[in-house]
Amino acid sequence: MSRRSLDGQVAVVTGAARGVGELLARKLSARGAKIALIGLEPDELRRVGESLRTESAYWHADVTDHDAMARTAAEVGEHFGRVDVVVANAGVASGGPFADSDPESWRRVIEVNLIGGAVTARAFLPQLIASRGYFLQIASLAAITPAPMMSAYCSSKSGVEAFAHCLRAELGHKGVRVGVGYLSWTDTDMVRGADQDEVMRDLRKRLPWPANRTYPLGPAVDRVVAGIERRAHHVYAQWWLRGMQSVRGYLPGIIGLVGQREMRRFEPRLSAGTHRGLVGAGGAADESERAAGR
């Protein structure tokens, strides 16, 4: 599809305090969009908002909280007058063997990534229907291929991919377009946090090229912005991810065989334990928010 101008449009970005969300807000603003920032770190959201070129405002909200997100959506609509684009970007991750995982952290990955995307969509759909707008759900390479030591993250991203496909079928006749964004390992706080675990880092290095690389954030977000301008059904932050779609049916069997070998190789090192909580600065912010009982 041809690209649409974002000048004057209102774009909502969740998980906007850092990483993909922060840079996406900056690049959308550079193209003339007004930006609504949503996340758990009000000081960071304020910092991002103050640096944008266009009108912006921020809201402190947990994307898994139906009531909070409904209030936020109403306030965003009242503030800007409309909503044209919503990017469900908020996400957290944890790693390690499922049998030894922290049940609370494992569940929280599902809640933020999957349920949070659905709650975001539910809150903003009335306004997207009114504007015949665009909803982009950020997924991952993890939606295309399973991986050992990443059961919560892969499950959540497979879930949001399926959710977005269902939503597209339900809303197309109302003029709302729905897209899925796929990213491989991209240089964010989340990925750097995961790499602090030596076993996770070394396992990732043993992935086949090009999945074993960490990709720069800027070009990845540029591709996401281009997808938003096209209101694309599929947005690939790295060029090779598109090709993964044609072979994804074979991947579970391959990963099942290769994963057994790799887990046998790394098992002696697993006895020392891996990081059991959420990774990265965003994960720490989520854990701090819940500890404070907000």
Side-chain angles (χ1 to χ4, degrees), residues 97-221:
F98 172 73
D100 297 328
S101 63
D102 171 49
E104 188 171 328
S105 295
W106 199 98
R107 179 187 293 270
R108 186 60 180 170
V109 174
I110 303 296
E111 289 175 346
V112 174
N113 298 359
L114 174 55
I115 297 176
V119 170
T120 300
R122 187 183 300 276
F124 284 98
L125 273 184
Q127 296 181 74
L128 289 177
I129 291 171
S131 67
R132 300 176 70 86
Y134 179 62
F135 178 81
L136 177 63
Q137 172 65 63
I138 298 298
S140 168
L141 170 62
I144 298 174
T145 179
M149 307 275 282
M150 295 178 58
S151 61
Y153 194 73
C154 290
S155 298
S156 69
K157 292 303 185 177
S158 295
V160 297
E161 179 191 44
F163 168 71
H165 290 332
C166 293
L167 205 60
R168 179 185 307 132
E170 293 181 17
L171 296 174
H173 71 288
K174 296 184 178 181
V176 178
R177 293 185 66 86
V178 178
V180 183
Y182 299 91
L183 291 85
S184 183
W185 303 93
T186 305
D187 188 19
T188 62
D189 288 329
M190 180 188 293
V191 171
R192 290 191 293 270
D195 278 350
Q196 291 177 5
D197 185 296
E198 292 185 3
V199 174
M200 293 293 295
R201 183 178 66 243
D202 291 348
L203 262 174
R204 186 161 74 85
K205 288 179 179 178
R206 293 180 61 81
L207 293 171
W209 183 89
N212 59 356
R213 287 188 53 199
T214 297
Y215 292 86
L217 181 60
V221 175

Side-chain angles (χ1 to χ4, degrees), residues 218-247:
V221 175
D222 284 338
R223 286 176 171 264
V224 175
V225 172
I228 292 172
E229 289 175 324
R230 295 193 307 270
R231 299 197 170 190
H233 288 165
H234 299 89
V235 179
Y236 299 100
Q238 286 81 29
W239 63 269
W240 54 272
L241 287 171
R242 183 186 302 273
M244 296 291 289
Q245 296 284 20
S246 63
V247 300

Side-chain angles (χ1 to χ4, degrees), residues 241-288:
L241 287 171
R242 183 186 302 273
M244 296 291 289
Q245 296 284 20
S246 63
V247 300
R248 66 185 297 172
Y250 301 99
L251 295 176
I254 294 172
I255 297 298
L257 291 173
V258 176
Q260 291 180 51
R261 183 191 68 198
E262 295 301 305
M263 292 303 293
R264 188 178 297 114
R265 177 193 296 270
F266 281 91
E267 189 168 16
R269 295 174 61 184
L270 293 175
S271 61
T274 56
H275 181 77
R276 291 167 58 87
L278 303 179
V279 301
D286 187 273
E287 290 177 339
S288 176

Side-chain angles (χ1 to χ4, degrees), residues 79-93:
H79 181 89
F80 290 104
R82 60 184 292 129
V83 171
D84 301 285
V85 176
V86 174
V87 183
N89 165 74
V92 294

